[in-house]
Amino acid sequence: MKIGIAGGGAFGTALGVALALDGKDVTLWARNPEAIETMQNDRKNPKLPGVELPRNMSFSAELDSIFACDTILIAIPAQTVPAFLNAHVDQLTGKNLIACCKGIDLKRMTGPASTIKDLVPNATAAMLTGPSFAADIARGLPTALTLACADDARGAELQAALSTTSLRIYRTTDTIGAELGGALKNVMAIASGVAIGAGLGESARAALITRGFPEMQRLAVKLGGQPDTLSGLSGFGDLVLTCTSEQSRNFRYGLALGRGETFDSSTTVEGAATARAVRQLSGELDIDMPICTVVADLTEDKTDVMRALNALLSRPLKEE
């Protein structure tokens, strides 16, 4: 099985490294010709310092290079996925399209796997998600991920094709639960970063993680996901990782908000857009999601950290 990767960021490149080192046929596409030239000639990606790219991993700035592959990992920002799919429906039809990004599209209000299913209906839509940092994957450190595919037989094929000695992949047919777990944990990571950045302490972070998890479950179940999926790698596992490590871009963004510092605008923070999408969805579906709402307001400067904290602490007392 030939595997193509759309996106030359850290995560897409790291997946390519792991797969190529396992002997798989991998081609990575990125839109920046200079970045492709650096990866092809120097075998380095500046976003993965200290990692040498395998010689059997190919790179191209031409999209036809990945359209020739049976399976394509889509590792571009979640908000750009619909435009990518719409622009290349004919070339993507019949392929295995696996979303490796996490978020909820602000216009469509769907996660990446659902977006694939809607826009390229004759492709196999899947989601690869779970607690993972690009640096760990690229260094060959043990990582467990969830592959979600509604077609269980095809999911089993993809599970076998993408598993390596360092990547242990579990599978589920619950694409809704998997994509929402991956998207919503980014919002909670921002909230956790805010708590630490504002000096609220580890106990506050623990409380946010604990109360944030039921919020994730409420929305996922309302939209058709399974509670058990949220309790697995793609939900709780990813939640713990991203809320407790500065390797998480969403957590670092929250740290900057909490400290009142400027954050690098060139860094993709999927949780910011997701929080705004969730705020809209929670209103439409009449679901109580106070942490997500506060994070959305913070990202748009509609509130500040202390007012956000007071809004959460002034909520009515109730049973856990």
Side-chain angles (χ1 to χ4, degrees), residues 59-76:
F59 303 90
S60 177
E62 301 297 327
L63 272 168
D64 285 345
S65 65
I66 62 169
F67 291 155
C69 299
D70 309 301
T71 296
I72 300 174
L73 307 184
I74 300 177
I76 58 179

Side-chain angles (χ1 to χ4, degrees), residues 227-244:
D228 287 351
T229 305
L230 273 291
S231 298
L233 291 166
S234 60
F236 185 72
D238 213 356
L239 174 69
V240 171
L241 182 69
T242 53
C243 288
T244 58

Side-chain angles (χ1 to χ4, degrees), residues 139-163:
R139 291 167 57 201
L141 299 179
T143 303
L145 299 172
T146 295
L147 177 76
C149 183
D151 182 336
D152 192 44
R154 183 60 59 86
E157 294 174 4
L158 295 173
Q159 178 187 32
L162 299 177
S163 293

Side-chain angles (χ1 to χ4, degrees), residues 7 11 19 36 50 57 64 84 116-119 125-126 128-129 138 186 232 243 245 247 249 252 260 269 282 289 316:
F11 195 71
L19 293 167
I36 288 294
M57 185 176 175
D64 285 345
F84 176 80
I116 293 170
K117 181 181 177 182
D118 291 344
L119 298 182
L128 187 64
T129 183
N186 283 334
C243 288
S245 173
Q247 288 191 66
R249 292 169 296 179
R252 293 200 309 273
V269 181
S282 64
M289 302 193 70

Side-chain angles (χ1 to χ4, degrees), residues 265-302:
S265 60
S266 67
T267 301
T268 300
V269 181
E270 298 282 22
T274 297
R276 296 165 198 162
V278 170
R279 182 180 57 194
Q280 179 176 329
L281 280 171
S282 64
E284 294 173 354
L285 299 173
D286 193 26
I287 303 174
D288 189 27
M289 302 193 70
I291 298 174
C292 290
T293 299
V294 161
V295 170
D297 290 346
L298 280 170
T299 66
E300 294 183 319
D301 294 324
K302 292 182 177 179

Side-chain angles (χ1 to χ4, degrees), residues 8-297:
F11 195 71
T13 305
L15 287 173
V17 169
L19 293 167
L21 287 175
D22 205 61
K24 303 182 192 299
D25 186 353
V26 178
T27 299
L28 182 146
W29 165 83
R31 68 178 71 242
N32 186 336
E34 293 180 0
I36 288 294
E37 185 176 0
T38 298
M39 287 188 277
Q40 185 68 49
N41 296 333
D42 300 340
R43 315 311 293 184
K44 294 179 181 178
N45 184 332
K47 296 179 180 179
L48 286 174
V51 174
E52 183 175 352
L53 306 181
R55 288 290 169 185
N56 64 324
M57 185 176 175
S58 301
F59 303 90
S60 177
E62 301 297 327
L63 272 168
D64 285 345
S65 65
I66 62 169
F67 291 155
C69 299
D70 309 301
T71 296
I72 300 174
L73 307 184
I74 300 177
I76 58 179
Q79 299 302 319
T80 67
V81 168
F84 176 80
L85 298 175
N86 278 323
H88 308 293
V89 172
D90 291 342
Q91 297 94 327
L92 296 174
T93 293
K95 305 290 185 182
N96 301 313
L97 303 181
I98 305 174
C100 301
C101 48
K102 302 169 183 178
I104 298 176
D105 180 60
L106 275 167
K107 295 181 180 178
R108 299 182 57 83
M109 291 293 151
T110 55
S114 297
T115 300
I116 293 170
K117 181 181 177 182
D118 291 344
L119 298 182
V120 194
N122 292 322
T124 296
M127 179 88 190
L128 187 64
T129 183
S132 53
F133 288 136
D136 292 348
I137 293 174
R139 291 167 57 201
L141 299 179
T143 303
L145 299 172
T146 295
L147 177 76
C149 183
D151 182 336
D152 192 44
R154 183 60 59 86
E157 294 174 4
L158 295 173
Q159 178 187 32
L162 299 177
S163 293
T164 73
T165 53
S166 60
L167 286 178
R168 181 172 178 82
I169 297 180
Y170 296 81
R171 77 177 188 274
T172 178
T173 56
D174 181 14
T175 55
I176 298 293
E179 66 184 357
L180 287 176
L184 296 173
K185 61 87 187 177
N186 283 334
V187 182
M188 302 308 165
I190 294 174
S192 296
V194 170
I196 298 301
L200 302 182
E202 299 287 352
S203 298
R205 169 162 54 183
L208 282 168
I209 294 172
T210 306
R211 298 311 307 158
F213 184 58
E215 284 194 29
M216 294 169 57
Q217 287 184 309
R218 282 197 291 272
L219 182 60
V221 170
K222 186 74 172 182
L223 293 175
Q226 301 298 314
D228 287 351
T229 305
L230 273 291
S231 298
L233 291 166
S234 60
F236 185 72
D238 213 356
L239 174 69
V240 171
L241 182 69
T242 53
C243 288
T244 58
S245 173
E246 290 193 33
Q247 288 191 66
S248 164
R249 292 169 296 179
N250 291 278
F251 181 77
R252 293 200 309 273
Y253 174 67
L255 276 176
L257 285 177
R259 293 168 177 166
E261 299 173 351
T262 301
F263 190 74
D264 181 4
S265 60
S266 67
T267 301
T268 300
V269 181
E270 298 282 22
T274 297
R276 296 165 198 162
V278 170
R279 182 180 57 194
Q280 179 176 329
L281 280 171
S282 64
E284 294 173 354
L285 299 173
D286 193 26
I287 303 174
D288 189 27
M289 302 193 70
I291 298 174
C292 290
T293 299
V294 161
V295 170
D297 290 346

